[in-house]
Amino acid sequence: MIARLRPIAVVAALSVLCGAPALAQEDSVLQRYDLAVENLEFAIASVPGDAVQARDELERAVNALLTLSRDTTSATLLTAMQRTFERARTAVDNQSRADLAVQAAVLRGGFRRLVADSAFTAGAASDRDTALARLTHIAQDMGFAAADLEALQAAGPSLGDLRLAFEAGAAQAIAAELTVAERLLPSDREAAYESLGTAYGDSLLIQDSPRADPDLNAALLRAAQALVQNDDEAFETATGDAAVHLSRLASAARAGEPGVPRPAAETPAAAAGGADAPAAAA
């Protein structure tokens, strides 16, 4: 009986995933997210060369930020992203594609956090379909492993079930991005830094989870500092520390562990785009 049901479950999961693009066309939150990411990509493509076009694209992304931020649960994320946009503008003025790419990677993670917050807001209002569609869209953009995508689709009926499944997949995807950064380091430091920026930006999705180690954010910042200082050994140590924290978070989420809630003042969301963030160190 189980063997007969398995293909049905797989087909159902694929149907939801294949329908995600259509859902994105109908969901204004996902539309704004997709446009913001596209604006960031166009800005990067315009540098060096067309600073006016790059700045125009950044301003369009800022407009999306102001709209998407209404559902955020982070009191500091909007301010932090605005600071990172300022650094992105500076990168355009300096005609530095590498700096802009790193900062855009962090901003993309911030936008993903905003969409995730909107998903959980919809779920809290008993709109589970919208919550799942938004989380699935982000999961696909992040490159969730197939097993984690399936787990997200098969999550239980509660909002907590969705959150746990998403956290587990996000932690694994971030860890995979760190592996990419480590692999790129010997041959392409700029690309390695961009991958680290992606990992840092995406960590905004989980950094205030009660299952996240308080040192996760600090480990990612140590990795950024080490890369800027050309200290490959310290970089590998820091990314290794972060990978361990991410692995433990994923395991805790899969096990449904409640974790240890931290007061808002202790969560590191304010570090996004802060003076020590990867975006600032490029």
Side-chain angles (χ1 to χ4, degrees):
M1 180 65 175
I2 294 175
R4 290 198 298 270
L5 289 175
R6 190 182 305 277
I8 297 174
V10 172
V11 170
L14 289 175
S15 296
V16 173
L17 294 177
C18 291
L23 289 171
Q25 294 175 4
E26 301 171 359
D27 188 332
S28 62
V29 169
L30 294 182
Q31 288 176 343
R32 292 188 181 97
Y33 163 77
D34 286 342
L35 286 173
V37 171
E38 185 177 76
N39 292 146
L40 292 174
E41 291 172 350
F42 284 157
I44 295 170
S46 300
V47 174
D50 193 341
V52 174
Q53 178 66 29
R55 272 189 165 269
D56 285 346
E57 297 295 344
L58 287 178
E59 295 313 311
R60 292 187 182 100
V62 169
N63 290 335
L65 169 64
L66 297 176
T67 303
L68 291 172
S69 61
R70 64 188 180 190
D71 288 327
T72 185
T73 58
S74 171
T76 57
L77 181 60
L78 177 59
T79 299
M81 288 182 69
Q82 288 173 332
R83 289 199 300 268
T84 306
F85 267 113
E86 282 302 318
R87 295 186 177 93
R89 294 183 184 102
T90 299
V92 170
D93 291 342
N94 294 336
Q95 290 291 280
S96 174
R97 185 186 185 282
D99 286 0
L100 181 58
V102 172
Q103 295 174 62
V106 176
L107 287 167
R108 184 173 60 240
F111 278 119
R112 288 171 176 168
R113 167 63 188 262
L114 293 174
V115 174
D117 283 351
S118 75
F120 294 126
T121 296
S126 300
D127 189 351
R128 190 180 188 281
D129 289 345
T130 295
L132 179 57
R134 291 175 181 175
L135 292 177
T136 297
H137 193 79
I138 297 302
Q140 290 176 309
D141 270 7
M142 291 177 65
F144 271 32
D148 289 324
L149 277 172
E150 290 179 11
L152 181 61
Q153 302 304 316
S158 75
L159 186 59
D161 294 331
L162 274 181
R163 187 183 296 275
L164 289 169
F166 183 77
E167 273 190 17
Q172 289 296 112
I174 296 165
E177 195 66 47
L178 289 177
T179 299
V180 172
E182 292 171 348
R183 187 176 69 246
L184 289 169
L185 185 62
S187 59
D188 192 338
R189 299 185 75 85
E190 288 185 357
Y193 203 78
E194 185 175 348
S195 288
L196 178 61
T198 296
Y200 181 85
D202 287 345
S203 75
L204 299 175
L205 289 159
I206 57 174
Q207 66 176 3
D208 52 1
S209 163
R211 288 160 289 279
D213 191 294
D215 184 59
L216 172 59
N217 189 73
L220 292 170
L221 293 178
R222 290 196 299 272
Q225 184 177 25
L227 198 155
V228 171
Q229 295 176 346
N230 294 316
D231 189 340
D232 292 4
E233 183 177 353
F235 175 81
E236 292 174 359
T237 297
T239 55
D241 291 342
V244 169
H245 296 324
L246 290 164
S247 178
R248 289 175 179 167
L249 192 158
S251 296
R254 292 191 181 102
E257 297 178 10
V260 181
R262 286 178 285 159
E266 295 181 13
T267 60
D276 297 321

